Structure formats: C-alpha cells, structure tokens
Amino acid sequence: MKKKIIFINFLMSLTVLFSMLFQTVHSYEHVYKQLTEKHCDHKYSAHHKQITHAHSVENNCPVCHFTFSTFIPNAFHSLSFQNVNVVSTPVFFYKTAASTFFKGSLFALRAPPVLS
C-alpha cells in the first residue's frame, strides 16, 4: 500500500513538472514561428484604399493560458443580523418550593448531608 502511494505521489509530481515544461517549450514554438515568417512590407498611398491581404495574430492559445488553480470558490456568503426586541414583564415576587426533609445518615459518605 505504501509503495502504491509513493508511486502515485511520484506520478503526480511528474505530471506537474511536465505541464510546466511543456508550456515553456510551447512558448519557444511561438518564438520560432515569428522568426521564420516572411516579412511583409506594405506600401500605402495617401488617396487610395487598398486591401491586399490580412495578418492574423493568434492570441487565444490554450496551452499558453494554462494555469493551476486552487479550487477554492470565491463566493462569500453574507449574514444579516436582525435586532430582536423581546418584551418581558418585570417579576416582583419569586416563590420557590423547598423541602427540608432529612432522609437520615449514612456513615460511608464524607460530605455533609443533603437536604432535598
């Protein structure tokens, strides 16, 4: 079991390392593509509208825009506190019922007797 966990940890670290290295190598591919393209000179005239050809720049590269995320949601839950007013009437007389009957003595106890 322990060898399996070590193998899985090693495999996951190689996966992260491969994704970072592949992104770096892919960026060199973009540099190589820019260096090998044929340079195009445009000659514009002041009073003529010319559409001869178009240049397209690929800005949406999913490999270059790959990032690792932490999988922590950014949603914050808000709590609203309400002040609750409880109306209570004052009590002026308290009445307690107490029974003072002593049930006897037991010599095994070390505490004073309890009145219940």
Side-chain angles (χ1 to χ4, degrees):
M1 182 71 182
K2 193 164 190 137
K3 288 183 180 182
K4 184 179 180 181
I5 292 174
I6 291 172
F7 179 72
I8 290 172
N9 285 339
F10 180 71
L11 186 66
M12 295 303 269
S13 64
L14 281 180
T15 305
V16 171
L17 182 65
F18 174 74
S19 67
M20 291 178 354
L21 288 176
F22 184 72
Q23 193 173 19
T24 305
V25 171
H26 181 73
S27 66
Y28 286 122
E29 180 184 345
H30 285 298
V31 171
Y32 177 74
K33 187 176 180 182
Q34 286 178 354
L35 291 175
T36 57
E37 281 183 350
K38 189 173 84 173
H39 185 67
C40 182
D41 290 327
H42 296 279
K43 296 181 180 178
Y44 295 108
S45 60
H47 301 290
H48 296 288
K49 294 182 181 177
Q50 298 176 357
I51 300 177
T52 58
H53 63 280
H55 294 279
S56 64
V57 178
E58 184 181 344
N59 289 332
N60 191 8
C61 182
V63 176
C64 293
H65 294 290
F66 174 76
T67 59
F68 291 105
S69 66
T70 58
F71 298 108
I72 298 175
N74 292 333
F76 292 104
H77 301 288
S78 63
L79 297 175
S80 61
F81 295 102
Q82 298 176 353
N83 190 6
V84 179
N85 292 330
V86 178
V87 178
S88 63
T89 59
V91 178
F92 294 108
F93 299 104
Y94 292 103
K95 184 177 179 182
T96 59
S99 172
T100 59
F101 180 75
F102 179 64
K103 294 182 181 176
S105 176
L106 182 61
F107 294 106
L109 295 177
R110 297 187 63 185
V114 177
L115 299 175
S116 60

